[in-house]
Amino acid sequence: MANRKHWWLTALLLLMLVGTTLPAAAGNTAQSDSRTFPETGKTVSGKFLAYWNGHGGLAQLGLPLTDQVQEVSPTDGKTYTMQYFERMVLELHPENAGTPFEVQGSLLGYFYYLRNYPQVNGAPNQHASTQNPYKFSETGKTIGGKFRAYWESHGGLAQQGYPVSDEFTEVSKLNGKSYTVQYFQRAVLELHPENQAPNDVLLSQLGTFENQARTDLSFTDSTGTKVTLTKRPERIVCLVALCEDILFELGMEPVGVNDTFGQDPRFWGDKAKSFKSVGSFAAPNLETIASLKPDLVIGFIPHIGLRDALKPIAPLFVMNPAKYQDSLNFLIKMGLLTGRVYRAQQAVQGLLLEMQYYKSKSPNNKVPLLVFGRDQNFSIFTSASLFGSVLADVTNYPWPAPGAGDVSAPDQEPGSIQYSLEKILQKDPDVLLFETQGSGTKLSQILAANPLWSQLKAVQNKQVYEVNPSMYLFGRGTHSISIALQDAMHKIYPDVFP
């Protein structure tokens, strides 16, 4: 992952994490006393109890949900002594012993926001408060009204962190009701107009949600099938390239594959030649898969028929992302299942920041189009497709989601529709990106025999490109999307992105 990051990406990431080590509060001195809470049976002691007592106790942190545990922080990937509470997770930082930084709240608000809204613009329908507003230059977000009053009177920057969203409406996972909320680095504030002040602003139970996520070994795949694993998966067989992309980002290796996707030098390179082959994409060898003793098999829609046969071997996780947000959600879920949340979140936020960079620099004065197929009966990717949704979020990609009368592509690619040169000529895009499926003559060369071909603006301006389907189409994960995005934006705007 590091080899694709640029200085601007690192700078933006650091900006979003400003405040990670802000003072928790003065006076976090060691204590030998402890308190066991009968409501949960958990004990809080020492510096964690001192922090709990000094930072709002039950109202601000809630009840303890765990005893002290050793876990990897989603903030920096290091292992700390941690304790989960209903509204916060505390981390003990012995490297800061004797300073106000020794006990810190995890950045649950930021990472919970990332998981819930893994897209360039974050949550939809946000609006900046106009009641006594204050805008933070660090994140570009505004606090005001009752949220600002609460933030300023309940620890401010040190305890709540910077705002990472403006206000918007969200359905609560606790009771299914809709509330006005605002996300901060360490907290989510909820407006409860049904309550009398000062209880009309409450903290969301982020600690409860995080504790549930870390212990939940279930997943629901693209077919709607829910599976609960018996343990964290370590040995994973990949029947689809997205699986390999995900494992690469998580710092894992598949125990079996059915393609050579991972041999690309931007992934494992020659090392991937040693991965055990489990047969072809269309016909995986079940005996070979069984011999690898996998904990999980990840496949694509055509592999649904293998579910029953795989039951004695390992659960099947079918992944068929429609938009890039789906791919990011699959990565986050695998990060949670494998206990590699930090790696997953780093990859997700890295891609989103990269997309934000392209969005901020894109001139938006050209119309590109993604075309794929192997013969005259080709299809296009709309903004409701995976890579089409990427381009639609960073630049001008005016190819709407399939509607009435559109014929879906025959290869189970969500958001793709069958098309013709006549239809392409109607919008006459500036740039054509072709993804030829399979070997043989390139699709652009096949279509060049059509009399309409020479009338296309992209053809006349020599902006017709054959692109790598492995990255644009088959990879589907954050690493593949990043590679394809850099390539596409260079081809569309070569002067802006050399």
Side-chain angles (χ1 to χ4, degrees), residues 310-324:
L310 284 169
K311 278 184 179 179
I313 303 172
L316 175 66
F317 192 161
V318 175
M319 296 183 178
N320 185 29
K323 294 186 176 182
Y324 75 86

Side-chain angles (χ1 to χ4, degrees), residues 154-263:
H154 290 79
L157 189 61
Q159 189 157 343
Q160 316 299 340
Y162 288 109
V164 295
S165 80
D166 288 318
E167 297 180 10
F168 63 97
T169 300
E170 182 179 73
V171 176
S172 171
K173 291 188 177 181
L174 289 178
N175 60 18
K177 296 181 179 179
S178 296
Y179 299 102
T180 297
V181 301
Q182 186 164 14
Y183 279 67
F184 295 80
Q185 286 176 305
R186 293 184 173 88
V188 177
L189 301 188
E190 298 177 351
L191 184 62
H192 288 255
E194 74 278 10
N195 295 344
Q196 295 292 321
N199 296 320
D200 53 347
V201 175
L202 300 176
L203 288 171
S204 180
Q205 292 194 21
L206 293 187
T208 298
F209 301 146
E210 184 70 9
N211 188 49
Q212 291 172 345
R214 67 188 270 273
T215 56
D216 180 15
L217 292 182
S218 68
F219 63 82
T220 300
D221 70 11
S222 291
T223 69
T225 302
K226 184 174 181 178
V227 176
T228 299
L229 303 177
T230 58
K231 64 176 182 177
R232 295 196 182 280
E234 297 178 356
R235 299 180 59 80
I236 299 173
V237 168
C238 292
L239 303 182
V240 63
L242 172 58
C243 170
E244 294 163 71
D245 194 298
I246 288 174
L247 295 190
F248 180 79
E249 294 287 50
L250 295 179
M252 302 176 68
E253 295 178 5
V255 296
V257 297
N258 62 349
D259 57 32
T260 60
F261 175 83
Q263 295 178 24

Side-chain angles (χ1 to χ4, degrees), residues 63-307:
L63 295 168
L65 301 175
T66 69
D67 292 318
Q68 293 184 15
V69 294
Q70 295 291 312
E71 284 196 354
V72 175
S73 169
T75 300
D76 61 9
K78 297 180 180 179
T79 300
Y80 298 101
T81 298
M82 303 168 71
Q83 189 159 14
Y84 286 71
F85 296 81
E86 290 176 304
R87 293 181 170 85
M88 187 175 285
V89 176
L90 299 184
E91 299 177 355
L92 184 64
H93 289 255
E95 72 276 12
N96 298 325
T99 75
F101 305 100
E102 194 168 1
V103 175
Q104 299 175 23
S106 292
L107 300 183
L108 289 189
Y110 173 70
F111 291 118
Y112 191 60
Y113 186 65
L114 185 71
R115 293 181 200 173
N116 284 344
Y117 308 99
Q119 53 205 41
V120 171
N121 296 318
N125 303 317
Q126 298 183 44
H127 61 275
S129 175
T130 57
Q131 301 177 31
N132 188 28
Y134 180 82
K135 184 174 183 178
F136 288 82
S137 60
E138 293 84 354
T139 63
K141 304 302 179 181
T142 300
I143 61 172
K146 293 184 177 181
F147 285 164
R148 178 176 179 180
Y150 185 99
W151 186 88
E152 291 177 340
S153 62
H154 290 79
L157 189 61
Q159 189 157 343
Q160 316 299 340
Y162 288 109
V164 295
S165 80
D166 288 318
E167 297 180 10
F168 63 97
T169 300
E170 182 179 73
V171 176
S172 171
K173 291 188 177 181
L174 289 178
N175 60 18
K177 296 181 179 179
S178 296
Y179 299 102
T180 297
V181 301
Q182 186 164 14
Y183 279 67
F184 295 80
Q185 286 176 305
R186 293 184 173 88
V188 177
L189 301 188
E190 298 177 351
L191 184 62
H192 288 255
E194 74 278 10
N195 295 344
Q196 295 292 321
N199 296 320
D200 53 347
V201 175
L202 300 176
L203 288 171
S204 180
Q205 292 194 21
L206 293 187
T208 298
F209 301 146
E210 184 70 9
N211 188 49
Q212 291 172 345
R214 67 188 270 273
T215 56
D216 180 15
L217 292 182
S218 68
F219 63 82
T220 300
D221 70 11
S222 291
T223 69
T225 302
K226 184 174 181 178
V227 176
T228 299
L229 303 177
T230 58
K231 64 176 182 177
R232 295 196 182 280
E234 297 178 356
R235 299 180 59 80
I236 299 173
V237 168
C238 292
L239 303 182
V240 63
L242 172 58
C243 170
E244 294 163 71
D245 194 298
I246 288 174
L247 295 190
F248 180 79
E249 294 287 50
L250 295 179
M252 302 176 68
E253 295 178 5
V255 296
V257 297
N258 62 349
D259 57 32
T260 60
F261 175 83
Q263 295 178 24
D264 187 289
R266 291 163 293 190
F267 285 82
W268 292 282
D270 288 341
K271 186 176 184 180
K273 293 178 180 179
S274 64
F275 296 165
K276 182 70 174 179
S277 173
V278 295
S280 67
F281 176 84
N285 188 304
L286 295 179
E287 291 184 358
T288 302
I289 293 175
S291 70
L292 297 174
K293 296 180 170 48
D295 305 312
L296 184 65
V297 177
I298 297 178
F300 194 43
I301 291 295
H303 301 123
I304 293 175
L306 297 176
R307 193 185 300 277

